[in-house]
Amino acid sequence: MSTCRLVHLAVMLAAVLVAVVLVQFRPARAAANALEPAREKAVSLRGAVLEALEHNLDITISRHTKEARLTDILFEQAKFDPTLDFSARYDRTVSPVNQPIFGFSPGSVITEPQTFDQNVQKFDVGLSQKLITGGDWDLTFNPQRTSTAGQTGFLFNPAYTSSLTLILTQPLLRNFGTETNRTQILVAKNNAQVEEHEFLTSVLTVIASVQQTFWELVFANEDLKVAQIALKAAQELEASNRAKAEAGVMTVVDVLQAQAAVADRMEGVLKAERAIGDQEDRLRQLLSPSEDSLRRTVRLIPTDKPKTSLDPLSLEETIDTALQQRPEVLQAAKNIESSNLNVGFAKNQLLPSLNVEGTAGLKSLGKSPSDKIDRLFSGSFYELGAGLVLSYPLGNRSAWSQYRKRRLEARNALASLQRARQEVIINIREAVRGVQTDFKRIETTRSARILAQKQLVAETERLNLGLSTTRLVLEFQRDLAIARGKEVRAIVDYNKSLSNLARQKGTTLEQYGIQLR
């Protein structure tokens, strides 16, 4: 047997093996797809964003943190709520006395220790409150019943006494004024707003992730179409070459080259299908569905078409918008307000403590509860008093250290705002540059795809005339598939850049008409 016939038989055997592999592979793939019934769900970008805002776990955690901050405001305000105190007490004292007790009138000479048996029933009712001016008041009502066993010379036995006393204390230096005493309330409100900006940051981050993943899913679907078109072209070339080989106008090597290309592009289709599944799972995770829905196989079909036009874009206006709306900048500004409030409070604590105290009260003594009340408000028995109390720790090092600390924190807050504004400007410049570059890429890759398509058509005609080879046609098919893939990638990257620009500007919510409650 000649060498040429051996080579011919080897080539034929290889062709048969490739054909068998392809025939076995296709039913196996169909059977694998039949294991899981494909169900489809149309998903729009806006619908995906709204679903993520409702169910995303990161947003849920951030929302709870924001709500927890609101309780701090109520906690600080509650420090100025009035307090009601009530106490009741009963005491009985039986004491030996070594001498006659004042008020007793014994009828005989005393030779044994006298017994002093007294019962006291006391009630205390008080109402107090811290004032926003820094002072506080305390109103106390103390009714009391005292009875002494035996014959006594007391005026009233039992005796009913009571006092109604108001004590007012007002600082004049340290802790004076509503501004100083509202500091912690204002700081708590600022912290709540800072947490709200943090919440907005989480929302924008999640929306940006949904947008990026959605467009990646769009790319994966379009990339699958590109791979399928390339596979179909290789299959058509294989069929054409097989017919020509059977007619004796083309060699078996050309058939084998086409079959190898079919196998290679089938692998590309499989990779594209896997990429779609991966992107679908990433999008599902952002939407945070239930575990049962994650177990089900549902194809997510994007319904939004990518944008390919460029709107007018001004760098200066974009930067100004971002500086006004980016939550990071607003958060840094609120931190400066809180730092300035803390500096003012710490400065006030450097002053001496000078308090004016005033006392006013009514007292009474009666033989019955009603008699006691009548005498209490008769004004016959009263007490009045006023005074100043000055206190100042020598050196006052604790207050000075806190004051220096608060000033350093204020400087850091100002530096943080400057850094945040700089980062916003840099981010906007990068985002605008990305939009402009990706838009130009669309035009460039479209031109490259059109040229690759023309080259393939020309080379295919040359092959039909016998002026070219299967290898060259396959290369031009591959070049066209690459060009199509680059065009799809440029379009998707452009839409991702638009989403990133809206995120950097802080206008993503406006883009979807969403308002945070």
Side-chain angles (χ1 to χ4, degrees):
M1 185 179 293
S2 63
T3 304
C4 292
R5 290 186 61 84
L6 289 175
V7 172
H8 182 73
L9 288 175
V11 171
M12 290 295 293
L13 180 59
V16 171
L17 290 175
V18 171
V20 170
V21 169
L22 290 177
V23 170
Q24 292 180 348
F25 170 75
R26 289 166 183 165
R29 180 172 174 268
N33 290 337
L35 293 177
E36 297 181 355
R39 290 182 294 172
E40 296 183 353
K41 175 184 177 182
V43 179
S44 66
L45 180 55
R46 177 180 173 81
V49 167
L50 294 178
E51 188 173 350
L53 293 181
E54 184 177 359
H55 299 293
N56 186 269
L57 297 179
D58 292 335
I59 292 182
T60 300
I61 295 173
S62 182
R63 181 185 296 114
H64 293 165
T65 304
K66 177 177 71 72
E67 293 173 354
R69 283 292 187 183
L70 296 177
T71 62
D72 294 340
I73 301 176
L74 185 61
F75 175 79
E76 295 298 335
Q77 292 174 337
K79 294 180 179 179
F80 298 95
D81 291 345
T83 301
L84 178 64
D85 298 315
F86 176 81
S87 64
R89 183 181 180 84
Y90 170 79
D91 292 306
R92 180 180 180 184
T93 305
V94 180
S95 304
V97 180
N98 194 30
Q99 61 183 3
I101 303 174
F102 175 77
F104 279 81
S105 301
S108 61
V109 179
I110 300 174
T111 60
E112 294 291 334
Q114 298 296 299
T115 299
F116 184 70
D117 187 355
Q118 189 175 56
N119 293 270
V120 178
Q121 299 173 9
K122 181 190 302 184
F123 299 91
D124 293 329
V125 180
L127 186 64
S128 60
Q129 183 180 17
K130 180 177 174 59
L131 301 175
I132 197 67
T133 60
D136 57 78
W137 59 268
D138 187 354
L139 181 63
T140 306
F141 178 58
N142 306 108
Q144 179 174 314
R145 178 184 184 277
T146 304
S147 63
T148 305
Q151 297 295 324
T152 68
F154 292 150
L155 179 62
F156 302 124
N157 187 25
Y160 294 86
T161 61
S162 64
S163 63
L164 181 64
T165 306
L166 175 64
I167 300 176
L168 178 64
T169 303
Q170 174 60 49
L172 300 179
L173 295 176
R174 186 192 301 172
N175 296 325
F176 170 77
T178 58
E179 182 178 355
T180 298
N181 289 277
R182 294 180 68 245
T183 296
Q184 298 307 317
I185 296 178
L186 297 177
V187 169
K189 290 182 177 180
N190 285 344
N191 290 339
Q193 293 181 357
V194 167
E195 197 62 46
E196 189 169 340
H197 296 319
E198 287 281 358
F199 176 68
L200 178 57
T201 300
S202 300
V203 169
L204 295 178
T205 301
V206 170
I207 293 178
S209 299
V210 171
Q211 291 174 326
Q212 301 294 313
T213 307
F214 181 89
W215 291 122
E216 282 298 326
L217 180 58
V218 171
F219 170 77
N221 280 276
E222 294 298 322
D223 191 52
L224 175 61
K225 294 178 182 179
V226 172
Q228 290 173 339
I229 293 174
L231 173 61
K232 182 179 180 181
Q235 290 173 338
E236 291 175 350
L237 182 61
E238 176 197 359
S240 176
N241 287 359
R242 188 185 301 277
K244 292 178 181 180
E246 292 176 353
V249 296
M250 185 169 284
T251 65
V252 178
V253 174
D254 292 299
V255 177
L256 289 176
Q257 288 176 344
Q259 289 176 339
V262 170
D264 180 68
R265 291 171 188 178
M266 183 65 73
E267 180 187 9
V269 171
L270 292 176
K271 290 181 177 180
E273 290 177 343
R274 185 187 67 181
I276 291 176
D278 292 342
Q279 292 302 325
E280 288 176 344
D281 286 341
R282 293 189 181 99
L283 185 57
R284 288 191 189 95
Q285 185 178 11
L286 290 171
L287 303 182
S288 297
S290 62
E291 292 187 7
D292 292 337
S293 60
L294 285 177
R295 292 174 181 270
R296 293 193 294 268
T297 302
V298 179
R299 286 292 311 275
L300 301 180
I301 308 300
T303 59
D304 290 60
K305 300 299 181 182
K307 185 178 180 180
T308 57
S309 60
L310 178 63
D311 297 329
L313 188 60
S314 171
L315 178 60
E316 290 298 327
E317 292 181 0
T318 304
I319 291 176
D320 292 338
T321 301
L323 292 177
Q324 294 174 3
Q325 298 193 208
R326 276 283 290 270
E328 294 89 341
V329 176
L330 300 177
Q331 176 181 345
K334 280 298 175 184
N335 287 334
I336 289 180
E337 290 184 16
S338 297
S339 298
N340 291 335
L341 289 171
N342 287 327
V343 169
F345 180 81
K347 185 176 181 180
N348 175 267
Q349 299 304 298
L350 299 176
L351 299 173
S353 175
L354 178 61
N355 298 337
V356 57
E357 296 181 352
T359 303
L362 299 173
K363 297 181 178 298
S364 69
L365 173 65
K367 59 185 177 180
S368 66
S370 59
D371 183 39
K372 171 191 65 178
I373 297 299
D374 293 339
R375 293 174 183 272
L376 178 66
F377 293 103
S378 66
S380 301
F381 308 100
Y382 59 87
E383 63 172 327
L384 294 174
L388 291 174
V389 178
L390 176 65
S391 173
Y392 185 76
L394 298 180
N396 205 17
R397 293 190 299 172
S398 176
W400 276 104
S401 64
Q402 288 297 310
Y403 177 63
R404 296 188 186 98
K405 176 182 177 181
R406 296 305 185 185
R407 291 187 62 184
L408 291 174
E409 291 175 349
R411 293 176 185 175
N412 289 339
L414 180 60
S416 297
L417 175 60
Q418 295 173 347
R419 182 179 60 185
R421 293 176 63 90
Q422 291 177 357
E423 290 179 355
V424 166
I425 294 174
I426 295 300
N427 292 339
I428 289 297
R429 293 179 63 88
E430 292 177 352
V432 170
R433 191 161 48 243
V435 169
Q436 295 172 341
T437 301
D438 290 336
F439 181 74
K440 294 177 181 178
R441 284 176 55 206
I442 294 177
E443 299 176 346
T444 303
T445 54
R446 182 183 293 119
S447 300
R449 187 258 303 165
I450 293 174
L451 292 175
Q453 194 168 1
K454 291 180 179 180
Q455 290 175 342
L456 175 61
V457 171
E459 198 65 27
T460 302
E461 292 177 355
R462 285 171 52 84
L463 177 65
N464 293 333
L465 296 175
L467 301 178
S468 183
T469 63
T470 300
R471 180 181 296 275
L472 287 176
V473 173
L474 291 174
E475 289 179 355
F476 281 114
Q477 286 182 356
R478 181 191 61 196
D479 293 342
L480 177 58
I482 293 174
R484 284 172 173 162
K486 288 183 177 181
E487 182 182 8
V488 172
R489 170 50 69 186
I491 293 175
V492 170
D493 285 349
Y494 174 65
N495 283 266
K496 292 174 64 177
S497 294
L498 290 175
S499 300
N500 179 57
L501 178 59
R503 167 67 180 89
Q504 299 302 329
K505 288 173 61 178
T507 58
T508 304
L509 297 182
E510 298 176 4
Q511 178 182 351
Y512 293 101
I514 298 173
Q515 293 183 350
L516 296 183
R517 291 178 300 183

